[in-house]
Each structure stands twice: as structure tokens, then as C-alpha cells.
Amino acid sequence: MASSVFLLDLKGKPLIARDYRGDIPLSAIDRFMPLLQDREDEQGTSLPVMTENGVTYLHLREKDVYLVALTRKNANAMTLLQFLHHLAKVFTEYFKTLEEESIRDNFVIIYELLDEMMDYGVPQITEPKILKEYITQESHILEIMPRPPLAVTNAVSWRSEGITYRKNEVFLDVVESINMLVNPSGQVLSSDIQGAVKMKVYLSGMPELRLGLNDKVMFESTGRSAKGKAVEMEDIRFHQCVRLSKFESDRTISFIPPDGEFELMTYRLNTQLKPLIWCETVVESHRGRIEYMVKAKAQFKHRSTANNVEIIVPVAADADSPRFKTTIGSVKYVPERAAFVWRIKQFQGGKEALLRAHVGLPSIRDDDPERKPPISVKFEIPYFTTSGIQVRYLKIVEKSGYQALPWVRYITKNGDYQLRIPDAVSSSVSRLPPI
């Protein structure tokens, strides 16, 4: 339960203030920025929750704006932080970008949104599509006052009634991002999978959807055996439309979906993975120049293809005279990133590619090995999941009995995917093989 909500600029000056309960003076916000700076000086980082003199400050930063909630109560911190995230999302939906200038240009509508999204410090409506139905940016002169949509007072506050489509369709994407850190010898130091189930729903009426996954816990609880691989998901987080009691009792994901695009759930798998794209790198240091040999290997199934692969190899900030040769794709030196970028449009599974690079070094330095940045890899592999998660069924039930088409797609892409570079080997002549 929040007492007040503030929007501040980078200096801590209030742009917007909304007092909901009146139990904390508005002047209390003056302590936020000194408190934040003290925490950063002491701990080297800012904490999202801070307390002083019985007042709890919860905040998040979006570009050049701080969103801050104040409370004296023993409130649920995660609820208020989640509300601030939803608040930022709604403002971005309305103004395209959340920054100081857009806030100054939209004072009136921001106060309207703050009044609708929170009542007496309790979060209310946070769905942008529903808010947009009756809080509009255009100024209209109406003879009759507009009524809020029924969704505001319904149990299903995220979907309006009376939605109709000529063609009823559901698009479901299972998107998995691979986070990985690998040492120069190819040993995986850390790895995990961050997954998300994203949906685009174009269905008439008030449909009930039931989604079944190859969830290991579900098979164990029901005593059934999985025909294929079962996946044990961790840190599952659902959209508010999912019936949590139903999921907890029989692991069924049952929900009435919002209209249009939304994220149904996210999950994490803490599992040991092998690198999908591995770069074997050799670095040779010569007088006034440095040479790189990078061998990229696609270590996934032959029938899959990685699209829009980018291998970003860091070099010295003052490097010059770059020369490249590669067996596939194109290479470009990007001085503002102090790196060269190797782009491969399509990289088939099981294939290898070679890159040879020569870079001039005009200055003499003693590089600190602790500050040597790793190689970053970007990619996207359609129709492929690393975890083996599968959609077993997607049932659509609506009282009118219409037939709907469900479409399912799997995508694996990079998250924080880094490969450490070995130390440079000093040599008077190049020993790297030609390509």
C-alpha cells in the first residue's frame, strides 16, 4: 500500500507528485536523492528499497526519470515495485518513450492515469489496452460523459466484452534466451535459459484457453509418464490472467487472454549447456600489430540454422589499419565500439567458418588481463529450443463454439552470451595458417 507516488528528474526534482493517503508529507521526497547517493557511495550500487525515519522509498529508473513510491506501512515491496514497472509500461504505451520531456508535455493525462491505476494506495487497473479505451490523449468535446468500459468493473479486468474477429487465430511463441560465460579453453563457467511464452490473440468473445506443456512436475504429480523429454521449470511467473489455483492443483495453465499481444509466462532453467556457437580464438601479438584467428563452430543439429549471427570481437581502443579475410559472411571494424563485427546471415548447424584479422597498434601498452572484454555472440535459431520444452496442446473454448486456429513457434536466441579470449602470444613472425 503506497502513501504517494513521485516522478523525479535525474537531480531528484519532482515532476509529478500524487498523494494517496496523506500520512507522509510531500517534503519527504527531498531525502530520496541524498539517501540514494549515500547508498551508492557505501555499497557501490543503488538499492531499489531504502528506509529512513520510518519512511520506505521504493524506486526504479527509466532513462532520465525516477519513479518513486513512498510508504509508512509494512507493504509488500515486490507488489509496489511491480506497480512501478507497470506504470512505466503504461506511460511508454501512451507516450512512446518515457523521459522528462514527455512527462512535462503530458501532465494532465499522467494525473488521470495515476488516479485510475491506484486508489488509496492500492494498485487497481494496470492493463494499457483497457486504460486506452476511456483515457485518451485527444481532447474531445462530448455531450455525454464517456463511461468506463465494463472490463474495469468485471472480474476479467484485462479483456473487454464484445470483441469480434472474422478470423479467429492464436499465435504462440516460445522464446528462449541463452545466458552463457565460457573460458578460453571451452569450459562453460555459467549457463542458464531464460524462457518466455508470448502470445498474439485475435479471438472473438470471452474464450477460455488451456495450455499444456511437457512439465516434469505435472507428470510426477499425476503419476503419468512423459512420452518424450519432460522439463522442470523454475522461477515461473504468470500474467495476471492465469488462474493460479488451477495451476497449483493440477499444473494446468488455464486463462481468459487479453486481446492482442501479451506475455503469458516466463521461466528459468538452471542447467549446464554446451555452447551453441563456439569461437575458438588464437591471438598473436607482433611489434606494432596484432593478429586474430577466429574459428566459429555451429554446435547444434544440422537441420537447424542460426540467422543474423553477429560475432563481436573486442580490440584496443586505438587500433587502426584493420584488414580482414573470412570464409563466410562480412566483417566490419566499428571504432566506436572498439571491436570488429563478423556478420553471418545464415549459419547452418554443424558448419565451421574462419576469420583472419590484422589490426595495427600505434601505441605501446601493458594490457591488464582483468579488463580484457570477452567476445559477444548474437544469434537467433527458429524452430529450435535448447531446453526441449514443448507445447502439448492449446485448447480454445468459447460459448459460441467457433473454430479457432492455434499457431505455435519456437525460437532460441542469445541472451548474455560471452566467450573469453585467450592471452595474446608474442611472436616475431606470424604462425597462423592462411585461409
Side-chain angles (χ1 to χ4, degrees):
M1 189 176 287
S3 297
S4 50
V5 171
F6 292 84
L7 274 67
L8 312 177
D9 63 15
L10 286 179
K11 295 179 180 178
K13 182 180 177 183
L15 303 170
I16 295 280
R18 179 66 176 89
D19 189 2
Y20 291 103
R21 296 176 58 83
D23 57 346
I24 298 177
L26 293 179
S27 59
I29 196 63
D30 295 339
R31 286 293 306 149
F32 169 72
M33 194 55 70
L35 198 60
L36 185 69
Q37 289 170 347
D38 289 345
R39 293 292 188 275
E40 287 180 347
D41 291 341
E42 289 173 11
Q43 303 177 14
T45 183
S46 60
L47 300 174
V49 182
M50 303 177 293
T51 303
E52 186 182 69
N53 298 330
V55 177
T56 302
Y57 300 80
L58 304 99
H59 81 281
L60 65 88
R61 178 176 168 179
E62 289 283 335
K63 293 187 179 177
D64 58 352
V65 176
Y66 286 102
L67 291 85
V68 188
L70 272 61
T71 181
R72 278 195 190 278
K73 302 286 183 181
N74 184 19
N76 187 321
M78 285 307 300
T79 298
L80 292 181
L81 288 171
Q82 189 71 7
F83 173 77
L84 293 178
H85 278 285
H86 279 288
L87 194 62
K89 181 182 174 183
V90 168
F91 289 161
T92 304
E93 283 278 332
Y94 269 85
F95 316 133
K96 304 304 177 190
T97 179
L98 176 55
E99 54 190 24
E100 183 180 340
E101 187 178 349
S102 63
I103 289 171
R104 292 187 184 279
D105 292 341
N106 295 280
F107 275 162
V108 174
I109 198 165
I110 288 173
Y111 276 113
E112 284 187 57
L113 289 168
L114 288 172
D115 285 342
E116 291 296 332
M117 293 179 68
M118 182 168 273
D119 184 26
Y120 197 59
V122 180
Q124 301 290 319
I125 307 155
T126 58
E127 194 64 36
K129 291 186 178 68
I130 301 300
L131 289 164
K132 279 190 169 185
E133 288 188 26
Y134 67 105
I135 298 181
T136 59
Q137 288 172 281
E138 298 83 7
S139 56
H140 294 290
I141 301 173
L142 300 177
E143 295 178 3
I144 303 171
M145 288 295 291
R147 295 180 61 188
L150 291 174
V152 172
T153 53
N154 280 356
V156 183
S157 63
W158 53 87
R159 184 180 179 90
S160 298
E161 293 183 356
I163 297 172
T164 56
Y165 287 99
R166 290 181 62 187
K167 189 176 182 182
N168 293 287
E169 293 181 304
V170 176
F171 299 88
L172 186 147
D173 286 349
V174 179
V175 182
E176 292 190 339
S177 300
I178 309 298
N179 299 321
M180 182 172 288
L181 178 63
V182 187
N183 72 8
S185 61
Q187 181 185 355
V188 177
L189 302 177
S190 65
S191 65
D192 66 59
I193 300 170
Q194 299 284 345
V197 177
K198 300 180 180 182
M199 299 189 73
K200 290 182 181 178
V201 176
Y202 307 109
L203 297 174
S204 306
M206 279 286 190
E208 173 88 21
L209 273 65
R210 286 195 289 274
L211 173 66
L213 304 172
N214 56 336
D215 180 9
K216 186 177 180 181
V217 177
M218 185 273 292
F219 286 117
E220 289 176 351
S221 62
T222 56
R224 289 186 289 168
S225 60
K227 292 181 180 179
K229 181 183 177 182
V231 176
E232 187 172 2
M233 296 179 288
E234 303 172 29
D235 297 342
I236 302 173
R237 190 183 71 180
F238 289 109
H239 187 275
Q240 61 176 329
C241 67
V242 175
R243 294 186 175 91
L244 294 180
S245 58
K246 185 79 173 166
F247 179 77
E248 288 167 1
S249 62
D250 59 10
R251 303 293 284 191
T252 299
I253 302 171
S254 176
F255 58 100
I256 296 173
D259 185 47
E261 190 172 347
F262 71 103
E263 189 172 80
L264 176 68
M265 62 179 284
T266 60
Y267 60 90
R268 182 177 63 86
L269 279 84
N270 193 8
T271 181
Q272 193 72 15
L273 303 169
K274 73 171 185 179
L276 294 176
I277 295 178
W278 163 240
C279 294
E280 186 181 328
T281 309
V282 179
V283 185
E284 278 193 1
S285 177
H286 307 284
R287 194 167 189 175
R289 65 187 173 90
I290 193 164
E291 294 186 29
Y292 296 84
M293 174 71 85
V294 182
K295 182 192 286 187
K297 299 179 182 179
Q299 301 186 140
F300 47 88
K301 295 177 181 178
H302 289 265
R303 64 173 178 264
S304 298
T305 302
N307 296 329
N308 303 317
V309 177
E310 282 191 9
I311 299 171
I312 303 159
V313 183
V315 296
D318 57 350
D320 63 9
S321 309
R323 290 186 291 122
F324 308 107
K325 191 176 181 182
T326 179
T327 56
I328 187 174
S330 62
V331 190
K332 184 180 180 181
Y333 174 52
V334 187
E336 60 270 20
R337 296 170 69 176
F340 57 85
V341 181
W342 183 10
R343 291 185 173 92
I344 304 173
K345 194 166 186 180
Q346 291 188 318
F347 199 15
Q348 190 178 347
K351 297 289 186 181
E352 293 184 357
L354 285 172
L355 164 68
R356 181 88 174 263
H358 299 251
V359 182
L361 294 176
S363 61
I364 299 172
R365 67 174 59 76
D366 182 18
D367 286 332
D368 182 359
E370 295 296 321
R371 297 191 176 185
K372 192 191 306 179
I375 293 174
S376 299
V377 184
K378 297 180 180 180
F379 59 87
E380 188 173 288
I381 309 173
Y383 318 113
F384 178 86
T385 59
T386 310
S387 66
I389 192 170
Q390 288 182 335
V391 176
R392 293 171 47 242
Y393 60 82
L394 178 59
K395 297 178 181 178
I396 303 163
V397 180
E398 213 277 332
K399 60 184 179 182
S400 64
Y402 61 70
Q403 293 295 314
L405 298 172
W407 304 90
V408 179
R409 183 174 61 166
Y410 301 94
I411 301 170
T412 294
K413 63 178 187 176
N414 67 285
D416 188 11
Y417 194 102
Q418 297 184 335
L419 313 173
R420 287 182 175 168
I421 300 176
D423 293 333
V425 178
S426 298
S427 176
S428 56
V429 294
S430 177
R431 294 178 293 180
L432 296 176
I435 61 171

